[in-house]
């Protein structure tokens, strides 16, 4: 890629002597480019002699590192890969056909390489973290006439979801050339685990704790923002989720189903056989729920049992007590169906059941 630059803005034409102008910003070049530099003097009646030195003072070789055009009033410098980055000094002397020799004119040029360069943009951070599954958009900014990424991509914005070093060569409207480099690191998503789905009974509670020193944000479905919350069995079935964010800004979430025993829909046994055979000799209520014996969670049990004529034949109040089929005086009741009213408390809630139970002898 060639561009033309005059490095001598003025020559005194009367004497043919080059006058060195003041320089402010240094012109820049990038490896991989061929740049053309030129002078204005007695072009056509003068030879121009060039000397180019690298940052270590080594002299570049004509034919290998640069080529003269015409009588040397223009020069192509091959800024080859492998050249050392830094400041190169270009010196030119004019010799006219009239025997006049001008004063040496010197200009400095910065050769930018990915290892050493003067940036002309800092829109891309030196280090960039991207969360796994996301895509980073590397954008050095608009206003450049040429973009060249490390893999030959020439788009302004480079998209990637992989770790690595990304380099873009930039040329601005002044034909200054530089680089922008960033190190992209793909970060694993934070690991968060609420455990297996579970069922809570009565006043049972479950502590859900996802604390991690690398987490900076906790966002629970309950509205909590703490590392841990406690759920109980009095709130019904619940779907609990938490979203965490780590110090790299990466987020992940987990969900747990917390079921609660439905004390309003328990099964009350419809019969028992108090014949002292060791099997089903007492009326035990309620029946197990999802394999769990709930009697230990039931408090303040008020049970009344009535015969078919509405006479109360047995009652119990206070702690849970199974019925053995005897009346209030301890006398065995005959085989028949009996009506019951059961009221019990679980936690702070009361439940009432009405139905019939049969004594089978």
């Amino acid at each position: 890629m060639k561009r033309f630059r005059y490095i001598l803005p003025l020559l005194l034409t009367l004497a043919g002597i080059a006058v060195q102008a003041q320089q402010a910003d240094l012109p820049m070049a990038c490896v991989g480019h061929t740049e053309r530099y030129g002078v204005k003097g007695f072009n056509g009646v003068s030879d121009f002699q060039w000397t180019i030195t690298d940052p270590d003072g080594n002299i570049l070789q004509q034919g290998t590192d640069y080529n003269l055009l015409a009588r040397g009033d223009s020069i192509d410098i091959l800024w080859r890969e492998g050249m050392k980055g830094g400041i190169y000094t270009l010196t030119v002397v004019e010799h006219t056909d009239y025997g006049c020799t001008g004063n040496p004119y010197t200009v400095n040029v910065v050769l930018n390489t990915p290892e050493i360069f003067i940036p002309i943009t800092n829109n891309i951070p030196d280090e960039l973290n991207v969360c796994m599954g996301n895509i980073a958009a590397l954008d050095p900014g608009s206003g450049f006439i040429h973009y060249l990424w490390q893999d030959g991509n020439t788009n302004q914005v480079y998209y990637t979801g992989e770790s690595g070093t990304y380099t873009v060569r930039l040329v601005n409207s002044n034909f200054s050339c530089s680089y922008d480099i960033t190190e992209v690191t793909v970060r694993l998503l934070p690991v968060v685990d609420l455990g297996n789905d579970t069922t809570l009974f009565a006043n049972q509670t479950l502590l859900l704790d996802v604390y991690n020193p690398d987490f900076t944000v906790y966002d629970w479905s309950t509205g909590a923002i703490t590392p841990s919350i406690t759920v109980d069995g009095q709130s019904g079935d619940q779907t609990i989720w938490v979203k965490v964010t780590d110090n790299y800004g990466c987020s992940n979430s987990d969900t747990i189903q917390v079921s609660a025993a439905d004390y309003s829909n328990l099964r009350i046994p419809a019969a028992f056989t108090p014949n002292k055979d060791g099997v089903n000799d007492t009326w035990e209520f309620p029946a197990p729920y999802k394999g769990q014996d709930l009697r230990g969670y039931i408090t303040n049990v008020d049970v009344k049992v009535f015969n078919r004529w509405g006479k109360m034949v047995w009652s119990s109040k206070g702690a849970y007590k199974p019925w053995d089929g005897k009346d209030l005086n301890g006398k065995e009741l005959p085989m028949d169906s009996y009506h019951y009213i059961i009221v019990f408390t679980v936690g702070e809630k009361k439940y009432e059941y009405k139905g019939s139970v049969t004594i089978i002898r």
Side-chain angles (χ1 to χ4, degrees), residues 253-264:
S253 62
D254 193 29
T255 300
I256 185 174
Q257 298 291 335
V258 179
S259 302
D262 185 0
Y263 290 93
S264 64

Side-chain angles (χ1 to χ4, degrees), residues 127-234:
E127 297 180 354
L128 183 64
N129 294 306
V130 58
C131 304
M132 180 170 287
N134 291 346
I135 299 296
L138 310 181
D139 185 1
S142 59
F144 298 98
I145 63 174
H146 190 260
Y147 303 82
L148 181 63
W149 295 87
Q150 72 287 333
D151 60 357
N153 189 313
T154 57
N155 294 326
Q156 173 183 330
V157 182
Y158 191 96
Y159 297 96
T160 182
E162 298 181 1
S163 296
T165 300
Y166 293 84
T167 304
V168 59
R169 188 171 66 193
L170 303 167
V171 178
N172 65 15
S173 57
N174 295 322
F175 294 101
S176 293
C177 180
S178 188
Y179 290 86
D180 207 348
I181 299 176
T182 185
E183 186 72 27
V184 175
T185 302
V186 175
R187 300 293 179 180
L188 295 176
L189 299 183
V191 177
V192 55
D193 184 9
L194 292 175
N196 297 326
D197 296 345
T198 189
T199 298
L200 298 180
F201 299 95
N203 57 351
Q204 280 187 323
T205 60
L206 176 64
L207 175 65
L208 299 176
D209 188 352
V210 294
Y211 170 76
N212 187 303
D214 294 330
F215 296 168
T216 57
V217 176
Y218 301 86
D219 182 16
W220 295 87
S221 55
T222 62
I225 55 174
T226 52
S228 64
I229 64 171
T230 299
V231 295
D232 60 52
Q234 295 294 299

Side-chain angles (χ1 to χ4, degrees), residues 110-126:
V110 175
L111 178 62
N112 287 322
T113 69
E115 295 75 27
I116 178 170
F117 61 92
I118 297 177
I120 53 179
T121 174
N122 56 2
N123 291 337
I124 304 178
D126 294 339

Side-chain angles (χ1 to χ4, degrees), residues 23-75:
Q23 283 182 260
D25 297 332
L26 298 182
M28 291 186 287
C30 279
V31 294
H33 281 192
T34 296
E35 299 280 3
R36 179 167 295 178
Y37 303 89
V39 292
K40 290 182 179 180
F42 290 110
N43 300 61
V45 294
S46 295
D47 293 312
F48 297 88
Q49 179 184 353
W50 295 77
T51 303
I52 305 169
T53 57
D54 69 12
D56 295 329
N58 301 311
I59 298 176
L60 271 60
Q61 299 301 310
Q62 181 179 346
T64 301
D65 302 315
Y66 66 92
N67 294 312
L68 296 178
L69 285 79
R71 297 181 66 176
D73 54 354
S74 297
I75 183 174

